[in-house]
């Protein structure tokens, strides 16, 4: 029996996990089916983050109530409050990334914002003795420096790594979320998402957004990696647990053979669309982006890449391509203007 596409979906947007690309997928789907997105109120681009989420952070909640279809901007998860906004049959999913890669990415991206990062010279120096730079008094500003995924899911990122506690949290996350994707296997994640939501292949096609140039990536030794696993042990447990369930889910629902075939289809379609849309066929550095409307937010020492569209596109193709490359802040602002035309537009 053919399934029906799920249109009530909540995506917990974690940090530095490829989640901006997923947000673009969600926004495009919302536009395609004219769905209502739970957007941040007023001039904000996140749903109250890093404060724990409450329904009032959503624009129009008082009048719209529990009639939103899509929620995907950054928030710190709080299931009871999210359920006030989202319908009872909402599909919940999120994405995790290997904490080793994640911490290195966070370090470069948040270098200027996080006290623990600011006071160390580079990521190697930080992970060599994190407690030298990470002070509990600065915990609010330092969330990106330790167990950030654990924090995003609503838990204490400085909690003691106690087996009973971590097992209870993992169980709770399993109860709250229908699916957890793994950023390190992004193509596979998109195929799994497509199946879980009963969406079409074109719904999960993407151009990688908010990625940075390779020359800002800092190299880590095996010792550094072990130190990160110990320092971010809660995130490490979270990642290991859901990496296992991710592959179990694939084997149970799709099978590796079908997965491989569908990943090939996704790659092919992605390549076709990049050839259609992009003048350079790939992401370019910030100073090479011609249209400032497609310039992603820049942060820290990371050179966040973007795209240039071809100039010879017909109107219909141009609209498709623009959506594919529209950065997170610009897309949020655009949807906000469409959904709340009487409110002051969000300034990017």
């Amino acid at each position: 029996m053919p399934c029906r596409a799920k249109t009530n979906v909540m995506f917990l947007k974690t940090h530095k996990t490829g989640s901006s690309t997923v947000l673009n997928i969600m926004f495009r789907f919302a536009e395609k089916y004219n769905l209502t997105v739970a957007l941040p109120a007023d001039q904000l681009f996140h749903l109250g983050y890093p404060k724990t989420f409450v329904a009032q952070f959503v624009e129009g909640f008082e009048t719209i109530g529990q009639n939103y279809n899509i929620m995907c901007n950054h928030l710190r998860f709080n299931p009871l409050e999210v359920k006030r906004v989202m319908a009872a049959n909402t599909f919940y999913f999120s994405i995790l990334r290997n904490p080793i890669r994640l911490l290195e990415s966070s370090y470069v991206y948040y270098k200027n914002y996080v006290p623990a990062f600011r006071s160390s010279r580079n990521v190697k120096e930080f992970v060599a003795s994190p407690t030298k730079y990470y002070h509990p008094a600065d915990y609010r500003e330092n969330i990106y420096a330790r167990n950030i995924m654990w924090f995003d899911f609503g838990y204490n990122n400085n909690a003691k790594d106690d087996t009973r506690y971590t097992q209870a949290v993992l169980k709770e996350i399993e109860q709250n979320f229908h699916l957890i994707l793994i950023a390190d296997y992004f193509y596979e994640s998109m195929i799994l998402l497509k199946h879980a939501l009963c969406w079409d292949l074109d719904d999960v096609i993407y151009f990688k957004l908010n990625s940075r140039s390779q020359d800002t990536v800092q190299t880590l030794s095996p010792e550094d990696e072990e130190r990160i696993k110990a320092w971010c042990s809660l995130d490490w447990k979270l990642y290991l647990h859901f990496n296992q369930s991710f592959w179990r889910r694939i084997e149970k629902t799709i099978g590796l053979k079908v997965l491989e075939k569908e990943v090939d289809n996704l790659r092919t379609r992605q390549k076709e669309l990049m050839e259609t849309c992009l003048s350079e066929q790939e992401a370019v550095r910030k100073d090479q982006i011609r249209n400032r409307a497609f310039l992603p937010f820049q942060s820290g020492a990371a050179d966040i890449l973007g795209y240039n569209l071809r100039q010879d596109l017909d109107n219909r193709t141009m609209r498709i391509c623009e959506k594919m490359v529209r950065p997170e802040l610009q897309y949020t602002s655009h949807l906000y203007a469409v959904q709340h035309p009487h409110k002051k537009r969000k300034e990017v």
Side-chain angles (χ1 to χ4, degrees):
M1 200 175 97
C3 56
R4 281 186 62 185
K6 289 182 168 61
T7 52
N8 291 337
V9 185
M10 190 277 168
F11 169 57
L12 175 62
K13 188 178 189 296
T14 45
H15 286 79
K16 312 316 302 162
T17 55
S19 64
S20 294
T21 303
V22 181
L23 178 119
N24 177 273
I25 287 169
M26 301 302 292
F27 279 173
R28 282 177 8 232
F29 188 83
E31 282 201 287
K32 180 178 170 182
Y33 291 102
N34 199 21
L35 303 174
T36 305
V37 182
L39 293 167
D42 303 319
Q43 288 297 304
L44 290 177
F45 286 92
H46 48 70
L47 291 159
Y49 193 90
K51 292 176 186 157
T52 300
F53 176 77
V54 291
Q56 280 69 25
F57 292 155
V58 174
E59 183 64 66
F61 171 69
E62 278 76 11
T63 49
I64 297 170
Q66 204 185 23
N67 289 308
Y68 294 92
N69 305 110
I70 303 286
M71 178 185 264
C72 55
N73 288 81
H74 277 306
L75 60 80
R76 188 172 185 213
F77 194 61
N78 180 3
L80 292 175
E81 286 292 310
V82 171
K83 282 178 176 137
R84 290 179 64 202
V85 177
M86 301 303 289
N89 68 347
T90 296
F91 182 92
Y92 288 78
F93 80 102
S94 189
I95 189 164
L96 301 174
R97 183 185 184 185
N98 184 319
I100 297 165
R101 306 273 82 79
L102 175 64
L103 187 73
E104 185 277 327
S105 175
S106 286
Y107 188 94
V108 175
Y109 194 84
Y110 296 113
K111 174 75 172 157
N112 303 336
Y113 304 101
V114 174
F117 293 162
R118 261 203 314 264
S119 52
S120 53
R121 271 182 312 184
N122 53 40
V123 71
K124 289 173 84 69
E125 188 176 272
F126 173 72
V127 301
S129 50
T131 50
K132 187 173 156 188
Y133 307 103
Y134 184 97
H135 305 301
D138 298 329
Y139 81 96
R140 279 203 180 282
E141 288 80 32
N142 273 335
I143 51 172
Y144 302 108
R146 190 179 200 189
N147 296 312
I148 181 60
M149 296 188 291
W150 199 263
F151 181 88
D152 286 348
F153 275 86
Y155 302 101
N156 176 7
N157 59 319
N158 288 305
K160 194 168 170 289
D161 185 352
D162 165 85
T163 305
R164 263 178 68 181
Y165 165 68
T166 54
Q167 288 305 313
V169 167
L170 295 174
K171 197 174 171 193
E172 198 167 79
I173 293 171
E174 279 182 342
Q175 286 165 350
N176 285 329
F177 288 84
H178 299 95
L179 178 65
I180 303 288
L181 303 176
I182 301 293
D184 311 77
Y185 303 100
F186 205 87
Y187 285 108
E188 293 83 353
S189 287
M190 291 307 99
I191 298 303
L192 191 53
L193 184 67
K194 174 181 97 74
H195 280 264
L197 296 176
C198 189
W199 287 7
D200 296 330
L201 185 68
D202 268 9
D203 294 327
V204 297
I205 297 284
Y206 65 91
F207 296 166
K208 199 173 174 186
L209 296 178
N210 213 37
S211 62
R212 61 190 163 131
S213 60
Q214 279 303 300
D215 57 9
T216 64
V217 177
Q218 298 183 15
T219 315
L220 297 166
S221 68
E223 293 77 29
D224 294 331
E225 295 189 355
E226 289 307 313
R227 287 180 186 126
I228 292 172
K229 285 185 203 174
W231 174 245
C232 295
S233 63
L234 299 172
D235 270 3
W236 184 245
K237 282 189 172 175
L238 183 66
Y239 176 75
L240 287 182
H241 179 86
F242 285 105
N243 186 34
Q244 284 180 338
S245 66
F246 174 81
W247 290 105
R248 276 202 306 272
R249 175 87 168 248
I250 282 174
E251 283 173 11
K252 205 171 98 182
T253 58
I254 308 172
L256 292 174
K257 234 189 173 91
V258 174
L259 175 77
E260 201 177 325
K261 188 165 155 284
E262 292 204 19
V263 164
D264 280 348
N265 292 344
L266 180 59
R267 285 178 186 270
T268 303
R269 185 75 187 99
Q270 183 187 50
K271 192 167 179 288
E272 281 171 8
L273 208 52
M274 289 183 97
E275 283 168 5
T276 300
C277 292
L278 306 177
S279 54
E280 286 91 358
Q281 313 291 299
E282 61 180 5
V284 297
R285 301 177 75 109
K286 63 185 176 194
D287 53 5
Q288 295 171 310
I289 298 167
R290 290 192 294 269
N291 185 344
R292 309 312 278 174
F294 300 130
L295 177 70
F297 177 73
Q298 300 294 320
S299 178
D303 182 350
I304 305 299
L305 306 176
Y307 297 95
N308 287 318
L309 296 180
R310 285 172 55 160
Q311 301 300 297
D312 57 350
L313 302 173
D314 62 72
N315 285 347
R316 186 180 165 275
T317 311
M318 178 63 89
R319 278 199 301 276
I320 292 167
C321 295
E322 279 180 352
K323 287 174 185 176
M324 296 292 297
V325 304
R326 188 174 280 150
E328 180 177 337
L329 303 189
Q330 286 90 324
Y331 216 148
T332 301
S333 175
H334 165 74
L335 285 183
Y336 187 83
V338 171
Q339 283 188 195
H340 308 285
H342 305 302
K343 298 280 291 188
K344 183 176 185 284
R345 194 183 178 119
K346 289 184 193 287
E347 288 171 25
V348 179

